[in-house]
Amino acid sequence: MKIRTQINCLLLFGALVIPATVGMALMAARHIEQDISDIRAAEDLIISAAQLSQVVVETALFHEARSQDQWQRKIASMNLQIGRMRPMLTAVQPELERIQKKIALMQTIYARLIRPPDTPDMPLRRPSALESAVEARSVASLLVLTQEVTGIAHELIGATRAVQAGTLRDMQIYIGLFLLAISALIGFVWHLVSRRILQPLRVFELATHHVAGGNYVHRLGLRQGDEIGELAAAFDGMAARVEKADVDLKAHRDNLAQEVVARTAELTAAKEGAEALSVVLLEKNVALEEARLVAEKADRAKSDFLSSMSHELRTPLNAILGFAQLIDSATPPISAAHKRYIEQILKGGWYLLELINEILDLALIESGKATLSPEPVSLLSLLLECRAMVEPQANAQQITLTFPQQHSAQFIEADRTRIKQVLINLLSNAIKYNHPGGEVAVDWTVRHADRLRITVRDTGSGMSEEQLGQLFQPFNRLGRETGAEEGTGIGLVVTKRLVDLMGGSIGVHSEVGVGSTFWIEFTVTSPKQLQHDDAETADQALLQVRDGLPQRTVLYVEDNTANLDLVEQLIARRPNLQLLSAANGSLGVEFARAHQPALVLMDINLPGISGVTAMKILQADPSTAHIPVIALSANAMPNEIQRGLDAGFARYLTKPIKVNEFMETLDEMLASVRRDAGTAIDHPASAFPGAAE
């Protein structure tokens, strides 16, 4: 039997037997204690019965009220003594019932002895012979009854002592069983430890000395069917392996000397050749190091060029698209012809921005600089956002969009911004390369329990096998260069690279004349724990900002007059806002200190100190540290945006400005400032000195 099993049996035995015997012994002790209490109550009952006889005589002789009061107190005392005894104990139950009947009879007879005492108002009257005879018989009966109660009480004492003796014997038996169980437990433990553990351990100790001394042929020889036996078998197996290894080592050592002589000769020849080649190895390492440095320098130059190109292209686009949006939404409306011109400007400008973004995305991915932030993304939220963004394009081309009716919450592991970029690109292509009146259907399924597939099916012209083979090649439009649809041919390349970076997979099925079905797969995950948000409070604050509040100041630090004019026109659309501008970072800091604006819009590339430096100066100054600073820059590379947010900007908006996004961010930040101002009023000690609008 296993040692573990024996110990478990031992513990089970102790857990069952020992508490049971202790419990029964304690119960017997409580019974003995009650027996003693019952005996004392019976003795008190005997005393009360003797005193009751005296009260009977006094009542018969003097008929005093005091005697009657004593009678009632003694009767109550006797009832109390009876109540102290255990009425449910079978051995004394008949005696208790007899005493109670005797007391009831005594109460009835005693009532005959009671007659009104002599008073001054009533003359002394001698009792008649009949009354005297009745009284004598009543006294005699009461005295006999008290003697009988005393006798029964003695019987109760005898019966209770007999019960007590039996209980005492039971308690002695229980104590004996307890001691026997403890002795058996101790004996079994000693046997287990001594015979099954300590003796085998001494054998192990002797064996380890043998093996340590080089006697690898020694074996334990233990044949126990428990854990010690298994350990002994493992030890013997190990000793056998060590013995075999020792034999092999001796054989190898015998041949080692000859091998050393042979290898020495080979090494001598190799050394002579290595000395000749050492210079050529060294030269290759130097060349490789130089090549690595050149590659790193080229990579840095490429990153700098991409950043510079992004900034230089976005700056003029900001003015073009910004003022075009202003004209398009001007009041009063422009003429129909001018509106068509503006629509063409906006269409071309946004398309140019899309091309710039695609080229920069591809360059970032290929250089390994693309950064991702994987998180659980809600499929329902993702599909709703993408549908809202592509529906205008579908309606313009008379394409029917079909999305699934999602009834269960599903989440996938992906970068939220990039997965939306991937899905919108697939949807845009499905709409762009479709025909009027066509259909684009989106669906999803869970595959292999941990993978979710999203499909985008269109009813376009489809692709041949040859075109599918060239699908994910950059700048390859698959023979559609002369078509009406615009594009660079790199959108799907960027899409595939982003899907790969997020740990997903992408594929396509297509048939000429029928249409194409693109699919992407990602890992299913669980949603993260959402924090409580105060969206309702923010919405209320936003309404307050928009409705009739006192005028507030927005400071814009910008050196480009076109960008300044654009933002000035946008701010003018908020009657409760006024714009203050500064042409460089140093002047912007001074204006912020002097005018205490509600918020600051900050360009990054400024003459003199940069926008980042100006922002940090404002944050370090207690008089301006409470003012939120929003970056508004043409530096739109993802790593540049992240560096700006890490530096301390409250938000980071990129040029060209998207009017809706700009105004929503402006309203959100102003609402946040107003909530903070309200908190400062409630808690003046937390307000910054000099903070005022």
Side-chain angles (χ1 to χ4, degrees), residues 388-408:
M389 295 184 70
V390 299
E391 266 187 335
Q393 179 188 359
N395 294 335
Q397 295 187 219
Q398 300 177 359
I399 303 297
T400 302
L401 278 178
T402 304
F403 278 75
Q405 297 295 324
Q406 187 173 355
H407 301 291
S408 61

Side-chain angles (χ1 to χ4, degrees), residues 96-111:
L96 290 176
E97 293 177 354
R98 288 169 59 197
I99 291 177
Q100 289 172 341
K101 291 178 180 179
K102 298 292 184 184
I103 291 175
L105 182 59
M106 290 167 65
Q107 284 281 67
T108 302
I109 297 174
Y110 185 78

Side-chain angles (χ1 to χ4, degrees), residues 527-532:
K528 63 182 178 181
Q529 186 69 30
L530 298 179
Q531 300 295 326
H532 174 72

Side-chain angles (χ1 to χ4, degrees), residues 309-462:
M309 184 181 71
S310 172
H311 182 273
E312 294 302 324
L313 291 174
R314 286 173 180 272
T315 298
L317 272 177
N318 181 53
I320 295 171
L321 292 174
F323 282 107
Q325 292 176 84
L326 280 177
I327 296 172
D328 187 49
S329 58
T331 304
I334 58 178
S335 65
H338 287 166
K339 188 170 183 65
R340 288 197 302 272
Y341 302 154
I342 292 299
E343 288 176 352
Q344 291 300 319
I345 293 173
L346 287 173
K347 181 180 179 182
W350 291 123
Y351 176 61
L352 179 57
L353 181 62
E354 180 183 351
L355 297 182
I356 293 171
N357 289 336
E358 286 184 350
I359 294 172
L360 293 179
D361 272 342
L362 183 60
L364 279 175
I365 293 170
E366 290 185 342
S367 64
K369 298 293 181 63
T371 58
L372 300 177
S373 300
E375 61 175 326
V377 178
S378 168
L379 182 61
L380 175 61
S381 174
L382 175 66
L383 294 182
L384 287 176
E385 292 179 19
C386 293
R387 180 172 189 169
M389 295 184 70
V390 299
E391 266 187 335
Q393 179 188 359
N395 294 335
Q397 295 187 219
Q398 300 177 359
I399 303 297
T400 302
L401 278 178
T402 304
F403 278 75
Q405 297 295 324
Q406 187 173 355
H407 301 291
S408 61
Q410 293 289 348
F411 289 79
I412 56 177
E413 185 74 14
D415 181 289
R416 183 176 185 84
T417 301
R418 294 301 193 176
I419 184 62
K420 189 161 62 173
Q421 178 182 348
V422 165
L423 195 54
I424 289 175
N425 188 35
L426 295 179
L427 287 167
S428 298
N429 285 345
I431 296 170
K432 182 191 303 183
Y433 297 109
N434 217 313
H435 58 80
E439 180 184 356
V440 173
V442 180
D443 202 356
W444 63 268
T445 55
V446 176
R447 300 164 56 86
H448 311 300
D450 63 343
R451 298 286 285 182
L452 186 143
R453 171 176 289 192
I454 305 173
T455 59
V456 178
R457 180 181 57 82
D458 65 64
T459 57
S461 57

Side-chain angles (χ1 to χ4, degrees), residues 118-133:
D118 295 333
T119 63
D121 298 334
M122 297 180 63
L124 182 65
R125 182 180 66 84
R126 296 180 61 84
S128 64
L130 179 59
E131 290 175 341
S132 298

Side-chain angles (χ1 to χ4, degrees), residues 458-520:
D458 65 64
T459 57
S461 57
M463 292 175 285
S464 64
E465 291 293 334
E466 182 181 358
Q467 288 176 319
L468 288 176
Q470 305 170 9
L471 186 62
F472 296 110
Q473 295 178 4
F475 305 103
N476 190 335
R477 297 195 60 204
L478 306 180
R480 294 172 176 167
E481 292 82 358
T482 59
E485 297 84 5
E486 299 171 333
T488 60
I490 63 174
L492 282 178
V493 178
V494 172
T495 297
K496 185 177 188 310
R497 304 286 173 83
L498 289 176
V499 170
D500 293 341
L501 285 176
M502 289 186 286
S505 56
I506 185 171
V508 59
H509 305 289
S510 187
E511 185 177 348
V512 177
V514 177
S516 304
T517 300
F518 283 82
W519 56 263
I520 52 176

Side-chain angles (χ1 to χ4, degrees), residues 9 41 43 77 82 87 92 131 146 159 178 256 285 322 324 361 395 432 463 486 509 514 520 570 619 626 629 666:
C9 293
E43 291 173 347
S77 176
I82 294 172
V92 300
E131 290 175 341
T146 56
F178 171 75
L256 186 59
N285 287 338
D361 272 342
N395 294 335
K432 182 191 303 183
M463 292 175 285
E486 299 171 333
H509 305 289
V514 177
I520 52 176
L570 293 176
Q619 286 187 337
H626 65 286
V629 182
L666 200 67

